[in-house]
Amino acid sequence: MKFSVCTILLLLLCFTTLSYSQSRQIHPLKGIVMDQMTREYVSNATITLTTKANTSSGEPDPKAFSKMTKTNELGQFTFLNIPDGSYTLSVSYVGFVSQSLNISVPSTIHNQPLSIALQAAPVQLSEVTVSSIHAHDQQIISSLDIKLRPITNSQEILRMVPGLFIGQHAGGGKAEQIFLRGFDLDHGTDIRLTVDGMPVNMVSHAHGQGYADLHFVIPELVENVDFKKGPYHTAKGNFTTAGWVDFHTQNVLEKSLVKLEVGQYNTYRAVGAFNMLGQKMRQQGHSAYLASEYSYSDSYFDNPQHFKRFNLLGKYQGKLSEATQLLVTASTFYSKWNHSGQIPDRAVASGLIDFYGSIDPTEGGETSRTNVNAEFTTATPGGSLIKNQFFYSNYNFELYSNFTFFLKDTVNGDQIRQKEGRNLFGYNGSFQKTYYLGSTQWISTLGASYRQDLTQNSELSHTKNRTETLERLQYGDVNELNAGLYIDELVHISPKWTVNAGVRIDYFRDQYTDLLQNPVTTKQANGTIVSPKLNFYYTPNSRFQFYLNTGKGFHSNDTRVVVPQNGKQILPAAYGSDLGMIVKPFPKLLINAALWYLWLDQEFVYVGDEGVIEPSGKSRRQGIDVSVRYQLTRSLYADVDLNTARPRAIGELAGQNYLPLAPTFTTTGGLSLTGQKGFSGSLRYRYMGNRPANEDNSIVAKGYFVTDLQANYTKPTYAVGLSVQNLFNTRWKETQFATESRLKGEATSVDEIHFTPGTPFFARLSLTYFLK
């Protein structure tokens, strides 16, 4: 009897399912989203599909639903298993007019993807929603800021990361010193910087581990900036401890342009960007442009910088097929300058030099970088996404510095030369598949990366007057290989819950050939590190999101440190966690707040008398980040970022455990005006509080408060701009170090603050002409 009843029930279930499938078929719904003006694909647009069908009784139909997804890098989206019926399809993305379409399935689709063109529009904060579908990669702050603030230079774009500060201490051509989350990151040791996925950080660099020079980026070509604080993304490997930042340059140039700038201190700049293909080719999915930049400035120092920079970039985007896109970028960059270096407080106080003077006027540098970057993106018929990227860079660097003056050599001085030539090449690839298990959506990613750095004649030498080599201190070749694999799962459990879990494994092989040894010697070391990640997101509605990020990251050590130690401490780990929330309590107010913690296996410490960074002990940092964006009127926005940190060395006595130059409190903010009868601009401030300059806080790096102004007037064929740095002409110290030095004629050395003065009032005018 039991068998008979089960059999009958099973037959009834099969019959019911068959009847329903015959009466109400299910279909895939596919589409593609692009920019109406440029015909460029719009990735990460939010797509929502809803039905409001009612039963005859007026009660909600239990089959009614709302589904959400986002576009991939080819602007594509897919909904699977959509029953016959009438729906509303909504498309939204920051900086574009949202669209809602009434569609019917299957008559609307006709087995062809929907084609949706979005029109650019001023940002309205009321239209921004907190989305569960973007939970792990949602960067509302970045998207808003890049749309609202005028772009003046690549450094300013880096400052768009909330809480990130930069400082220049060796002329306009050297990479900036970076500060974030209680870190003095030097020039990039604990932050991963990329441009269009191509690495910027240089391993085992002549000047410092992770040295990241962004001056090969032409700021007018930057379209967006992605960032994340902490070591929580599986695809990000080396240097991802404090966080990562990825610049994206424009794939399609909206308008050709010529821009001229002139400013104080003999400052001149010219930029040109030109479309190379016509509108007809653009409609067919092909575009190409060529852009160039030349800058010259003597700057505000008593010793003129004679700073020169040249950039040339070409980019091609082509649709190889309906499912494959090719991006090829080639660029070259060259810069040369003099600089005034870091000067001691006592030299200014005694009147020996002016606040903008120098002790060694022969300091300076020269650098160049040539890049080729090819990216292939393919969508398979099954909806998977395959990405392959190949990159190559040829890089040269030479820098003359004098940190301690006459501390070691009382006759010739302590000037040093740091120099290298480098070939860098590598590969990034990933396979991403989206599938459904019941009501859950799974996005699985398998990725691989490979990078090899080959340096020639990496050098540290004692020099005089930038012309005479007195002694070679280090001289050799570096061969460093980094190969990585990762797997990542992003699971949308429900419209409210999202979980991300992943793990990556990185292998390093370090080889150093010491050219000073006789005979020449070559030594190797290797190491492997596994980095797991686990992240949770809860989005109860479109106004609230709560998240817990956890993960392990790392920074590699310099090959010249690793090899002599036989590979010990080659890959010191970092363990981090963020507990935060994104809140939109009112339509025009957005808040992002987080409590964070970061523990490092190994710290890097600046050694002033050597002008180098050395590995040190363990450290712990914890703090609070708060970012607020508020729309005052239709055209006026206000923003503020508040960041606190408590950085401490582990295992040291209380009062002796400060981390030198690590910021403890920073804040930035301002007002931004956009789209008001052609007028736009911003008034912004940045403040860094006092911070310890040495381990016992007996020497203090003084804080500063600086205000900048940008004003633009734009018409369809031209734009006029005024940029003012340090609007109120504040005297401030941009970078500071506790350094032991001796001036010529001094009997003993002095340990005190050495600094680079910050920019005084500095005004520049620009005129841009847009070509048809």
Side-chain angles (χ1 to χ4, degrees):
M1 176 65 69
K2 184 180 294 185
F3 175 81
S4 301
V5 171
C6 291
T7 304
I8 293 171
L9 290 174
L10 183 60
L11 290 172
L12 286 172
L13 178 62
C14 293
F15 176 77
T16 303
T17 304
L18 180 62
S19 300
Y20 176 79
S21 64
Q22 289 176 339
S23 61
R24 196 177 189 192
Q25 300 290 327
I26 57 175
H27 310 269
L29 176 61
K30 300 182 178 182
I32 184 168
V33 180
M34 62 185 67
D35 185 323
Q36 185 181 75
M37 173 67 71
T38 64
R39 310 305 294 177
E40 182 183 3
Y41 300 128
V42 177
S43 61
N44 286 316
T46 301
I47 314 295
T48 307
L49 184 68
T50 58
T51 176
K52 299 180 180 179
N54 292 327
T55 63
S56 57
S57 63
E59 295 296 324
D61 186 343
K63 300 183 181 64
F65 66 86
S66 176
K67 288 190 173 183
M68 185 180 294
T69 189
K70 61 181 180 179
T71 55
N72 63 21
E73 292 190 23
L74 296 181
Q76 300 171 341
F77 66 88
T78 301
F79 290 104
L80 299 177
N81 303 326
I82 305 301
D84 295 349
S86 299
Y87 300 88
T88 299
L89 183 76
S90 300
V91 184
S92 64
Y93 189 72
V94 174
F96 289 90
V97 177
S98 298
Q99 283 195 29
S100 292
L101 309 173
N102 294 320
I103 65 172
S104 58
V105 175
S107 60
T108 298
I109 58 177
H110 298 297
N111 296 321
Q112 295 294 324
L114 291 168
S115 182
I116 302 168
L118 296 183
Q119 182 178 358
V123 174
Q124 296 297 314
L125 195 53
S126 58
E127 296 182 1
V128 176
T129 59
V130 180
S131 169
S132 62
I133 202 71
H134 293 280
H136 189 50
D137 58 4
Q138 183 165 256
Q139 298 297 341
I140 293 176
I141 299 298
S142 176
S143 299
L144 282 174
D145 293 346
I146 201 74
K147 295 288 184 181
L148 293 175
R149 300 181 195 171
I151 295 174
T152 57
N153 55 61
S154 57
Q155 296 95 309
E156 286 294 330
I157 300 170
L158 195 58
R159 284 193 181 115
M160 288 185 180
V161 177
L164 189 151
F165 276 61
I166 60 173
Q168 179 58 263
H169 61 248
K174 185 182 175 184
E176 280 73 26
Q177 187 178 4
I178 305 174
F179 303 91
L180 179 69
R181 278 200 162 179
F183 277 89
D184 168 15
L185 297 163
D186 192 40
H187 299 286
T189 306
D190 285 284
I191 185 169
R192 178 186 177 93
L193 301 182
T194 54
V195 175
D196 293 328
M198 182 176 62
V200 178
N201 303 76
M202 296 293 179
V203 296
S204 305
H205 188 269
H207 184 67
Q209 177 69 341
Y211 185 90
D213 186 356
L214 279 164
H215 293 106
F216 67 90
V217 178
I218 301 175
E220 286 80 2
L221 302 182
V222 175
E223 185 172 46
N224 206 351
V225 179
D226 288 334
F227 71 89
K228 187 83 170 182
K229 300 177 187 178
Y232 310 126
H233 269 239
T234 315
K236 311 301 180 183
N238 196 11
F239 304 119
T240 311
T241 47
W244 56 269
V245 184
D246 188 10
F247 286 66
H248 298 277
T249 59
Q250 297 178 27
N251 294 336
V252 179
L253 190 66
E254 185 174 333
K255 292 181 180 179
S256 297
L257 64 90
V258 175
K259 181 177 183 180
L260 299 175
E261 286 186 1
V262 60
Q264 294 174 271
Y265 315 114
N266 290 327
T267 299
Y268 307 96
R269 181 169 178 263
V271 179
F274 308 96
N275 276 310
M276 306 304 291
L277 299 178
Q279 187 65 27
K280 184 177 179 180
M281 292 293 290
R282 181 179 293 184
Q283 293 294 331
Q284 296 174 0
H286 299 270
S287 67
Y289 68 85
L290 189 66
S292 185
E293 171 200 32
Y294 177 77
S295 299
Y296 177 87
S297 180
D298 285 335
S299 196
Y300 49 88
F301 297 95
D302 294 345
N303 177 39
Q305 283 195 352
H306 301 307
F307 167 76
K308 308 176 187 69
R309 181 172 68 223
F310 173 76
N311 268 309
L312 178 65
L313 178 143
K315 194 167 191 177
Y316 166 79
Q317 175 183 266
K319 185 190 291 185
L320 302 185
S321 69
E322 290 300 321
T324 301
Q325 175 180 269
L326 169 65
L327 283 172
V328 178
T329 307
S331 66
T332 190
F333 152 78
Y334 172 80
S335 184
K336 186 175 182 180
W337 69 98
N338 300 323
H339 66 82
S340 296
Q342 300 151 25
I343 58 177
D345 276 345
R346 65 186 185 278
V348 177
S350 67
L352 177 65
I353 60 173
D354 183 66
F355 188 77
Y356 300 103
S358 63
I359 300 296
D360 184 349
T362 65
E363 295 184 64
E366 184 175 358
T367 186
S368 65
R369 178 168 179 165
T370 299
N371 307 300
V372 179
N373 188 21
E375 303 170 77
F376 299 84
T377 306
T378 301
T380 68
S384 300
L385 194 68
I386 302 172
K387 294 192 288 186
N388 292 285
Q389 178 186 22
F390 302 88
F391 56 85
Y392 166 78
S393 293
N394 176 265
Y395 174 79
N396 294 281
F397 174 87
E398 184 176 18
L399 181 70
Y400 291 85
S401 307
N402 194 339
F403 302 101
T404 55
F405 313 122
F406 294 91
L407 178 67
K408 296 179 179 180
D409 189 331
T410 58
V411 176
N412 299 299
D414 299 343
Q415 186 182 89
I416 60 173
R417 175 174 64 234
Q418 295 166 310
K419 184 177 180 179
E420 70 166 57
R422 177 186 301 251
N423 286 298
L424 159 66
F425 55 90
Y427 166 81
N428 293 315
S430 65
F431 174 83
Q432 187 177 92
K433 174 70 174 177
T434 301
Y435 57 96
Y436 295 84
L437 294 176
S439 60
T440 64
Q441 182 191 56
W442 293 64
I443 302 176
S444 300
T445 305
L446 177 65
S449 62
Y450 171 82
R451 168 178 176 168
Q452 188 147 12
D453 290 73
L454 302 171
T455 78
Q456 297 174 330
N457 302 331
S458 293
E459 176 187 355
L460 172 63
S461 293
H462 179 201
T463 59
K464 180 181 179 180
N465 297 328
R466 203 167 162 177
T467 57
E468 184 180 350
T469 300
L470 302 177
E471 180 187 7
R472 276 181 172 161
L473 305 173
Q474 285 184 341
Y475 191 60
D477 298 337
V478 172
N479 183 340
E480 184 170 332
L481 180 151
N482 173 207
L485 287 172
Y486 68 89
I487 185 169
D488 187 86
E489 289 286 351
L490 183 64
V491 186
H492 298 291
I493 299 174
S494 71
K496 295 183 179 180
W497 283 98
T498 300
V499 176
N500 168 254
V503 63
R504 72 173 291 128
I505 181 169
D506 283 273
Y507 168 78
F508 281 78
R509 188 206 66 194
D510 295 76
Q511 176 179 298
Y512 183 63
T513 300
D514 192 338
L515 301 177
L516 290 181
Q517 294 286 335
N518 189 16
V520 171
T521 61
T522 298
K523 295 182 180 180
Q524 284 190 6
N526 59 70
T528 303
I529 188 168
V530 178
S531 306
K533 325 281 183 177
L534 183 60
N535 306 290
F536 300 91
Y537 302 89
Y538 175 62
T539 312
N541 53 53
S542 61
R543 293 182 179 272
F544 292 91
Q545 184 176 100
F546 303 92
Y547 59 89
L548 173 63
N549 294 152
T550 63
K552 176 184 176 182
F554 69 96
H555 64 230
S556 65
N557 270 337
D558 192 300
T559 292
R560 290 158 295 190
V561 174
V562 168
V563 170
Q565 296 178 351
N566 296 318
K568 293 179 180 179
Q569 297 182 322
I570 181 174
L571 301 169
Y575 303 88
S577 61
D578 273 49
L579 178 63
M581 62 179 179
I582 301 174
V583 184
K584 197 162 181 271
F586 310 110
K588 297 183 179 181
L589 177 64
L590 180 69
I591 303 171
N592 191 339
L595 300 171
W596 58 270
Y597 177 91
L598 192 62
W599 190 94
L600 268 72
D601 263 343
Q602 187 183 84
E603 187 70 25
F604 278 89
V605 175
Y606 177 78
V607 182
D609 58 353
E610 299 290 343
V612 298
I613 301 295
E614 287 187 353
S616 183
K618 296 177 174 59
S619 66
R620 176 180 60 240
R621 291 169 172 82
Q622 54 197 8
I624 301 173
D625 289 347
V626 179
S627 295
V628 181
R629 304 293 182 267
Y630 182 65
Q631 186 172 358
L632 299 169
T633 69
R634 186 173 180 83
S635 304
L636 186 62
Y637 292 77
D639 66 89
V640 63
D641 297 316
L642 302 167
N643 310 95
T644 68
R646 191 176 188 274
R648 292 291 186 271
I650 295 175
E652 302 293 336
L653 295 175
Q656 304 289 324
N657 59 347
Y658 294 95
L659 296 178
L661 304 178
T664 57
F665 178 73
T666 63
T667 177
T668 60
L671 298 172
S672 298
L673 179 71
T674 179
Q676 185 62 35
K677 297 181 180 179
F679 290 97
S680 64
S682 64
L683 179 65
R684 306 201 52 74
Y685 78 88
R686 61 185 185 274
Y687 170 77
M688 180 180 286
N690 293 348
R691 61 197 193 278
N694 59 357
E695 289 80 357
D696 63 4
N697 200 22
S698 60
I699 302 177
V700 176
K702 297 294 184 181
Y704 59 82
F705 186 100
V706 178
T707 306
D708 299 326
L709 171 71
Q710 176 73 31
N712 299 318
Y713 180 70
T714 305
K715 286 296 185 180
T717 58
Y718 70 92
V720 179
L722 170 65
S723 172
V724 180
Q725 294 176 265
N726 195 357
L727 180 64
F728 301 112
N729 201 26
T730 301
R731 177 167 285 199
W732 61 294
K733 300 175 180 178
E734 186 166 10
T735 59
Q736 301 173 68
F737 302 89
T739 304
E740 182 185 5
S741 69
R742 178 161 54 189
L743 300 176
K744 195 171 186 63
E746 285 186 330
T748 59
S749 63
V750 178
D751 191 5
E752 66 173 355
I753 287 291
H754 292 54
F755 69 94
T756 301
T759 308
F761 182 94
F762 182 12
R764 289 177 294 172
L765 283 171
S766 68
L767 173 64
T768 306
Y769 179 64
F770 300 107
L771 308 176
K772 293 184 178 180

